[in-house]
Amino acid sequence: GGQEKRGALAAGKAKRARSASSAGEAAPEGGPRDGSAPPQEYSIPPPVSQGKWKNKERVLIFSSRGINFRTRHLMQDLRTLMPHSKADTKMDRKDQLFVINEVCEMKNCNKCIFFEAKKKQDLYMWLSNTPQGPSAKFLVQNVHTLAELKMTGNCLRGSRPLLSFDPIFDREPHYALLKELFIQIFGTPQYHPKSQPFVDHVFTFTITDERIWFRNYQIIEEDASLVEIGPRFVLNLIKIFQGSFGGPTLYENPHYRSPNMHRRLIRLSVAAKFREKQQVKEVQMVKKKGTKVLVEEDPTEVVFETPAEEKPVEIQLVKPESKPIVKDKKKLRKIQRKKQKKLFRTEG
């Protein structure tokens, strides 16, 4: 389809060039009338990719519903970097994963990158060879996209990348399988209609800490130094399946720990710290109570006890005066003052 379009475009350009040259011939005195070659600006350059597109790899890149903005940007970045990719609408979470095989068949794709979101916080990536398999499931961590300011590199859109792999990929069989899968998915086919025949950036796959670290660098021609373009992410392998999106398990990563388990362990560690603090407090309380030594009664203390003088019991024969009930506080104070004056006079 791409080649036909390109042919049509070339034909259109040729028509335009011919009409322009004929216009040049019919130009007034200044133009070339003597049948000489038209000016150089009207010559049409040959198409960029001069060759047959044989390796027809097409990659479908899409996601499930419920992905966050960062995942959406990462997905768009991968589509930008891979001219042999195709897009599709988000898949419903109710649908089973094997439905993706049918979607790929309809889109005429033989590879698939599928982003699956769970709990609105965990992101899983499936890489699959769609009709018959194998497929691999990864947990995606530490995502940084092209739009971030830290990534200062740049490359030509549609240019073909070099793929650089860690030497560990050749030592272990499951990594060798993943390497082949990465080569077929991320490698832009030669002479692809949407690609450019320049190699100006590198995709690196490095294995550190039992995870695969993806980076994209620009090659600077002067001194062959590298500047990071992005995106960057870390793939934590979960399982490799024989079929596409299912089937028998070929390899299960023993070092993988699910995000749910990780969060649970964090919660348990916090709870354990709290319990430890409580126990320390209890021990301190017991120590404080234990320090108070009970001293036995001292018999000599009785010497200093002097009996109190016995006062005669007074019996009131006269009824006490009833206090006047006064609602106004000012009047009450006046009455009290008068009483005090009377007492003072009598004493005097």
Side-chain angles (χ1 to χ4, degrees), residues 261-274:
M261 191 69 188
H262 181 66
R263 286 191 286 266
R264 182 169 171 268
L265 289 170
I266 289 169
R267 284 199 303 272
L268 287 173
S269 68
V270 170
K273 279 181 184 175
F274 180 73

Side-chain angles (χ1 to χ4, degrees), residues 140-201:
V140 186
Q141 297 168 314
N142 302 1
V143 175
H144 295 274
T145 55
L146 267 173
E148 291 184 24
L149 297 172
K150 286 178 280 186
M151 319 287 192
T152 54
N154 196 1
C155 68
L156 185 72
R157 184 170 181 151
S159 61
R160 299 177 65 224
L162 288 172
L163 299 181
S164 167
F165 288 93
D166 196 299
I168 301 169
F169 274 100
D170 299 320
R171 290 181 206 156
E172 295 187 42
H174 64 280
Y175 281 137
L177 177 65
L178 288 178
K179 181 181 176 181
E180 187 58 37
L181 198 61
F182 288 143
I183 288 169
Q184 290 184 20
I185 288 175
F186 289 98
T188 304
Q190 197 172 11
Y191 305 125
H192 188 280
K194 290 182 183 175
S195 71
Q196 304 283 357
F198 312 110
V199 176
D200 60 354
H201 64 291

Side-chain angles (χ1 to χ4, degrees), residues 297-314:
E297 287 185 7
D298 190 4
T300 56
E301 275 186 359
V302 190
V303 176
F304 301 104
E305 282 183 8
T306 50
E309 291 179 12
E310 285 185 10
K311 289 180 180 179
V313 181
E314 288 183 10

Side-chain angles (χ1 to χ4, degrees), residues 6-23:
R6 195 194 296 148
L9 285 168
K13 281 181 185 172
K15 279 177 193 170
R16 263 182 243 143
R18 273 191 222 116
S19 62
S21 62
S22 62

